[in-house]
Amino acid sequence: QVQLVESGGGLVQAGGSLRLSCAASGRTFSSYAMGWFRQAPGKEREFVARISSNRVTTYYADSVKGRFTISRDNAKNTVYLQMNSLKPEDAAVYYCAADPIGMRLSNGRADYWGQGTQVTVSS
């Protein structure tokens, strides 16, 4: 069992930055691929980024490439999402997720989900 708790959301002006954190419980964190997703009002949840269990491989949605960076610290059981050059269209509830298989995250599937953290971007 893995429990995920996101933090770091808030209100930021367009062009600004935020760093989201996702703290995981359990001693098996380092065996899971981790991902970030987001869901805006009236829209479906969408994949944002994922990182492999050993931190070697990362993937990003085209909409955030070059602006967002996913990273993880296995010693701290934490995954991060650094978001730069934020745009109003980035506003959403952001969720972290964990799955043993990274590809499942890219397909929107995960064994475990956090409760989400709100990101608001003012124009």
Side-chain angles (χ1 to χ4, degrees), residues 56-123:
V56 170
T57 306
T58 57
Y59 292 95
Y60 297 90
D62 288 343
S63 59
V64 306
K65 278 181 183 176
R67 300 187 299 121
F68 290 12
T69 301
I70 188 170
S71 61
R72 66 189 293 165
D73 184 336
N74 286 345
K76 295 183 178 179
N77 281 13
T78 302
V79 63
Y80 305 96
L81 185 68
Q82 177 67 44
M83 305 186 294
N84 298 328
S85 302
L86 282 161
K87 305 175 181 180
E89 53 263 42
D90 293 318
V93 177
Y94 282 71
Y95 300 90
C96 73
D99 198 273
I101 303 173
M103 184 58 70
R104 279 169 46 89
L105 292 170
S106 293
N107 293 330
R109 298 182 178 184
D111 280 353
Y112 303 101
W113 294 88
Q115 84 291 347
T117 185
Q118 177 72 50
V119 172
T120 304
V121 184
S122 62
S123 57

Side-chain angles (χ1 to χ4, degrees), residues 5-65:
V5 179
E6 302 95 335
S7 62
L11 172 64
V12 63
Q13 287 187 332
S17 299
L18 279 176
R19 188 175 83 154
L20 305 182
S21 300
C22 174
S25 65
R27 291 177 288 180
T28 59
F29 173 78
S30 61
S31 66
Y32 284 86
M34 299 296 297
W36 285 96
F37 296 78
R38 66 187 181 187
Q39 186 168 20
K43 295 186 177 181
E44 293 186 353
R45 184 175 59 201
E46 64 174 350
F47 167 80
V48 174
R50 67 176 171 95
I51 186 168
S52 60
S53 59
N54 61 4
R55 304 179 296 171
V56 170
T57 306
T58 57
Y59 292 95
Y60 297 90
D62 288 343
S63 59
V64 306
K65 278 181 183 176

